[in-house]
């Protein structure tokens, strides 16, 4: 197969949802249909169970699983599908945001009974801002839930999407009879025993089929006909280019647990979802078909074995081919690096691969060269954009508890920050180090990992900060100088020496924004 065909057959996407909507179950069923696993139950959930005795111990256990499930790849109808895993726990939302920079499209899973939930809103907002094509899958139709049309309204209103249904449920919960598939124009009846394997289906091609009427009853059939008319009258017809531009979101219904509607989702997905897309760098737009290799690091995973300090850097290939034992330029260090054992991912296994193509993810063993957002190329000086740090919400001073291990602590903090676990700020006033995180759980993770992986002990001390924001303005202006003098107590540098304002309250942030109108207050590090 040629280079261009290889690119065209790739579909790289992420599944996002509020915890418990069915992301893991759906992933597993997609793998089942892709023939990558033989039975359900094979994919381990990487979610943090509510019953965990201690959250950070659970996270340690999960870290092992999440290496394995970071990328799940399989071939379906000759398409190479790469599913990028996103953590469901809200304290790890930043990991999910970063993973979203490496996907070409997403599937949003919504629980039919719960409707649009908080975490879904946040994640969809990020996708909307980046115009990522989205398919919505409404799950758990075997349970009583909200009316399908009410849900479509809710999705439009709460998520700010423009939807068009590509399937419609017939009944729901105990009375769930099946699905009308508007994409393939057929009807499928729901059978209870479908659960764990791919069973035989009962499909009707026509709404007027008398056997269909016999199966679902004439009342149901009439409602279905009315609803189909409603769909035609109210919703825009599906338009692939509008979907690809992020302006229209198709919606499908099903039950992941019951294997129902999943194959239809997958078939529709491979028909409409985008192949690898071009990506913007600081310098220019990079097309996947370009012969020269380029890619970027969107995730770093520390090894579980504390004796080996090696880490796995996940690189999304943007253009060209990535080949084993070939020197590539690490742009930030301006250094050539060669990789003898790049990992590719297949279902839950990783294997060494010789060649990978745009859309693929390779895992590179790293001893500390990489940080999130780094670009690798065949030689061109490029820097990919779009992996910002978000303004953290929890802040604590970090102190060294063991003076003999100062070096280990510095190194450990440095590497954990490169991995994107948290952000480090150095106060201008006294040089003290402050850790900022998106969720409170990360402090436990940092403390635990510093001890177990670097032999360093730290303690945290509370610090009253409401929000961190990056400041931009004319350095030479009197206003900027005034700001720096007056707010000195609240200023810090981040790891790349950008100026950060640590506002102690919403009020003081608002006051500063009003008082220093010519300065810009950014809530992500990339502006
Ligand atoms: P997540 O990754 O989005 O957090 O959700 P996950 O797939 O783990 O699913 C959450 C719960 O919802 C699981 O039940 C799962 O079995 C159930 N579920 C998923 N899809 C469907 C569906 O189509 N119908 C019904 N009725 N349930 C569904 P659990 O009891 O929390 O976990 P488990 O003990 O079954 O693993």
């Amino acid at each position: 197969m040629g280079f261009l065909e290889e690119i065209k057959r790739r579909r790289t996407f992420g599944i996002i949802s509020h915890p418990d909507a069915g992301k893991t179950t759906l992933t597993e069923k997609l793998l089942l249909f892709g023939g990558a696993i033989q039975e359900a139950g094979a994919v381990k959930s990487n979610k943090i169970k509510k019953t965990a005795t201690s959250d950070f111990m659970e996270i340690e256990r999960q870290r092992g699983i999440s290496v394995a499930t970071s990328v799940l790849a399989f071939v379906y109808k000759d398409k190479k599908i790469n599913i990028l895993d996103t953590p469901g726990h809200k304290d790890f939302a930043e990991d999910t945001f970063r993973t979203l920079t490496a996907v070409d499209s997403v599937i949003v899973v919504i629980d039919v009974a719960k409707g649009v939930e908080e975490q879904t809103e946040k994640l969809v907002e990020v996708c909307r801002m980046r115009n990522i094509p989205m398919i919505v899958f409404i799950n758990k139709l075997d349970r009583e839930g909200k009316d399908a049309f009410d849900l479509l309204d809710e999705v439009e209103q709460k998520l700010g999407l423009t939807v068009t249904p590509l399937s419609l449920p017939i009944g729901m919960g105990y009375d769930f009879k099946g699905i009308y598939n508007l994409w393939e124009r057929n009807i499928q009846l729901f059978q209870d025993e479908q659960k764990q394997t791919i069973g035989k289906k009962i499909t009707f091609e026509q709404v007027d089929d008398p056997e269909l009427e016999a199966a679902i009853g004439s009342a149901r059939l009439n409602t279905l006909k009315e609803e189909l008319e409603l769909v035609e009258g109210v919703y825009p017809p599906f338009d692939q280019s509008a979907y690809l531009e992020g302006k229209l979101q198709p919606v499908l219904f099903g039950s992941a647990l019951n294997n129902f509607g999943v194959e239809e989702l997958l078939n529709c997905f491979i028909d409409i979802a985008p192949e690898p897309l071009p990506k913007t760098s600081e310098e220019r737009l990079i097309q996947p078909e370009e012969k020269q290799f380029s890619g970027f690091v969107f995730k770093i995973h520390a090894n579980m074995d504390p004796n080996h300090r090696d880490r796995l850097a996940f690189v999304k290939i943007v253009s060209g081919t990535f080949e084993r034992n070939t020197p590539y330029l690490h742009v930030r260090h301006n250094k050539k690096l060669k990789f003898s054992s790049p990992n590719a991912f297949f279902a839950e296994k990783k294997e060494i691969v010789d060649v990978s193509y745009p859309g693929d993810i390779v895992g590179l063993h790293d001893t500390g060269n990489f940080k999130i957002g780094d670009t690798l190329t065949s030689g061109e000086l490029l820097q990919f954009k779009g992996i910002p740090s978000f303004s953290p919400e929890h802040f604590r001073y970090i102190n060294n508890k063991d003076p003999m291990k100062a070096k280990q602590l510095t190194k450990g903090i440095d590497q954990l920050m490169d991995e994107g676990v948290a952000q480090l700020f150095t106060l201008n006033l006294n040089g003290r180090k402050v850790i900022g995180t998106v969720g409170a759980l990360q402090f436990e993770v940092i403390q635990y990992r510093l001890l177990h992986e670097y032999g360093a002990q730290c303690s945290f001390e509370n610090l009253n900060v409401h929000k961190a924001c990056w400041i931009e303005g004319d350095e030479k202006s009197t206003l900027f100088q005034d700001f720096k003098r007056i707010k000195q107590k609240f200023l810090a540098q981040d790891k790349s020496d950008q100026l950060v304002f640590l506002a102690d309250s919403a009020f003081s942030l608002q006051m500063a924004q009003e008082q220093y109108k010519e300065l810009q207050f950014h809530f992500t590090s990339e502006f």
Side-chain angles (χ1 to χ4, degrees):
M1 202 177 294
F3 174 56
L4 292 180
E5 284 89 52
E6 286 288 4
I7 299 176
K8 287 204 167 313
R9 68 194 276 260
R10 277 165 167 74
R11 301 285 181 275
T12 302
F13 76 105
I15 304 179
I16 55 175
S17 70
H18 192 88
D20 274 349
K23 183 170 74 73
T24 313
T25 314
L26 179 65
T27 307
E28 181 171 274
K29 296 304 164 84
L30 292 173
L31 291 175
L32 197 64
F33 280 105
I37 54 171
Q38 263 53 45
E39 57 181 314
V43 176
K44 295 180 194 71
S45 167
N46 75 355
K47 70 180 169 185
I48 294 157
K49 295 264 188 237
K50 294 170 206 83
T51 51
T53 43
S54 152
D55 269 332
F56 65 88
M57 282 309 289
E58 180 63 11
I59 290 162
E60 276 306 289
R61 193 184 68 75
Q62 302 292 353
R63 282 204 309 131
I65 295 169
S66 73
V67 175
T69 59
S70 286
V71 187
L72 295 159
F74 61 93
V75 175
Y76 179 75
K77 295 195 174 165
D78 209 34
K79 298 282 187 291
K80 165 87 187 289
I81 316 249
N82 296 313
I83 308 181
L84 305 196
D85 192 32
T86 54
H89 197 289
K90 69 173 175 24
D91 284 8
F92 294 88
E94 218 177 335
D95 278 1
T96 302
F97 294 146
R98 287 190 291 252
T99 299
L100 290 177
T101 64
V103 303
D104 296 307
S105 71
V106 303
I107 293 179
V108 184
V109 183
I110 292 173
D111 181 324
V112 71
K114 297 203 176 126
V116 173
E117 294 172 272
E118 186 196 341
Q119 197 65 3
T120 321
E121 279 186 65
K122 285 192 184 153
L123 295 170
V124 167
E125 195 186 332
V126 174
C127 296
R128 221 162 21 98
M129 274 166 15
R130 301 202 183 133
N131 299 321
I132 300 177
M134 287 180 255
I135 298 179
V136 178
F137 182 72
I138 299 192
N139 189 28
K140 307 196 187 180
L141 265 286
D142 58 313
R143 286 210 187 146
E144 295 304 327
K146 301 188 182 183
D147 171 74
F149 289 94
D150 289 348
L151 258 178
L152 292 172
D153 280 351
E154 188 177 328
V155 168
E156 291 210 313
Q157 276 159 22
K158 283 200 177 162
L159 300 179
L161 304 180
T162 307
V163 301
T164 186
L166 287 186
S167 76
L168 270 188
I170 307 170
M172 196 178 283
Y174 281 118
D175 194 28
F176 182 46
K177 297 280 185 242
I179 275 173
Y180 186 92
N181 184 335
L182 286 128
W183 184 244
E184 294 176 353
R185 295 262 157 216
N186 60 26
I187 300 125
Q188 230 170 80
L189 292 194
F190 176 64
Q191 302 154 276
D192 231 353
E193 70 280 7
Q194 246 157 343
K195 267 189 186 156
Q196 304 300 327
T197 50
I198 307 171
K200 256 184 68 191
K201 291 182 175 175
I202 303 178
T203 307
F204 295 94
E205 303 297 329
Q206 303 291 337
V207 194
D208 297 327
D209 194 320
E211 279 184 43
L212 175 66
E213 186 166 353
I216 66 172
S218 55
R220 280 252 159 268
L221 188 61
N222 287 335
T223 315
L224 173 66
K225 286 180 181 168
E226 280 165 28
E227 287 180 347
L228 288 172
E229 269 175 32
L230 188 65
V231 167
E232 237 170 70
V234 172
Y235 295 95
F238 177 71
D239 170 1
Q240 192 177 9
S241 39
Y243 155 72
L244 292 175
E245 286 163 19
K247 293 185 182 141
L248 181 68
Q249 287 76 26
V251 180
L252 289 109
F253 293 81
S255 165
L257 186 67
N258 291 290
N259 258 341
F260 197 75
V262 175
E263 193 177 8
E264 290 67 23
L265 171 70
L266 190 54
N267 286 337
C268 175
F269 172 82
I270 60 165
D271 282 348
I272 66 172
E275 50 195 67
L277 297 173
K279 183 141 182 102
T280 325
S281 70
E282 302 272 358
E283 294 72 17
R284 62 187 186 86
L285 187 70
I286 315 294
Q287 300 291 341
E289 300 80 19
E290 292 181 25
K291 286 276 152 55
Q292 299 292 312
F293 162 74
S294 66
F296 65 94
V297 178
F298 66 93
K299 173 174 182 150
I300 293 179
H301 219 295
N303 204 303
M304 298 298 288
D305 180 356
N307 297 324
H308 297 96
R309 200 56 72 60
D310 85 326
R311 313 185 289 176
L312 206 57
F314 290 79
V315 175
K316 161 89 185 278
I317 300 174
V318 177
S319 67
T321 51
F322 180 93
E323 291 169 31
R324 192 153 90 95
N325 284 326
T326 306
Y328 292 115
L329 181 67
H330 181 301
V331 176
R332 185 171 54 89
H333 287 162
N334 197 13
K335 192 163 87 177
K336 290 254 174 172
L337 298 174
K338 213 156 71 169
F339 302 91
S340 59
S341 50
N343 285 130
F345 303 86
F346 201 78
E348 285 200 279
K349 297 191 288 289
K350 51 185 174 58
E351 298 167 354
I352 292 174
V353 276
D354 291 326
V355 189
S356 304
Y357 296 90
D360 282 341
I361 311 298
V362 281
L364 305 179
H365 290 280
D366 168 44
T367 46
N369 282 312
F370 287 120
K371 70 176 194 185
I372 290 197
D374 277 350
T375 302
L376 270 182
T377 69
S378 290
E380 190 174 345
L381 291 170
L382 292 177
Q383 178 59 51
F384 283 109
K385 296 209 290 197
I387 308 202
S389 300
F390 289 83
S391 175
E393 284 170 17
H394 303 262
F395 300 85
R396 289 184 198 165
Y397 285 117
I398 182 163
N399 301 321
N400 184 8
K401 265 177 79 179
D402 180 355
M404 305 296 286
K405 298 279 172 63
K407 257 194 182 154
Q408 284 86 332
L409 186 75
T410 310
K411 180 158 188 178
I413 294 176
D414 212 41
Q415 295 212 343
L416 292 184
M417 299 307 124
D418 282 353
E419 267 182 49
V421 175
Q423 292 174 60
L424 182 71
F425 303 104
T426 310
L427 289 186
N428 286 5
L429 194 64
N430 53 16
R432 287 192 74 179
K433 309 276 187 218
V434 172
I435 301 270
T437 66
V438 173
L441 259 184
Q442 265 92 338
F443 290 107
E444 293 180 44
V445 176
I446 292 169
Q447 203 162 35
Y448 181 86
R449 288 191 55 193
L450 283 173
L451 183 63
H452 287 84
E453 291 170 37
Y454 300 89
Q457 287 190 52
C458 72
S459 63
F460 294 112
E461 200 181 313
N462 280 340
L463 170 72
N464 181 29
V465 177
H466 161 70
K467 208 152 184 67
C469 44
W470 285 265
I471 303 296
E472 192 186 22
D474 177 6
E475 287 267 1
K476 294 192 198 83
S477 68
T478 355
L479 187 86
F480 203 119
Q481 295 304 326
D482 275 358
F483 174 78
K484 279 173 96 167
R485 193 168 37 81
I486 294 164
K487 299 289 178 197
Q488 193 187 22
K489 233 176 90 185
F490 304 99
L491 295 181
Q493 305 295 128
D494 74 359
K495 265 198 85 189
S496 31
D497 268 342
Q498 296 196 85
L499 186 67
V500 178
F501 174 48
L502 303 176
D504 57 353
S505 68
F507 178 69
S508 69
L509 175 59
Q510 196 193 343
M511 289 300 286
Q513 280 174 307
E514 277 170 23
Q515 204 176 346
Y516 301 95
K517 278 206 169 69
E518 278 126 84
L519 301 183
Q520 283 165 38
F521 294 69
H522 298 284
F523 295 95
T524 64
S525 66
E526 202 172 71
F527 40 83

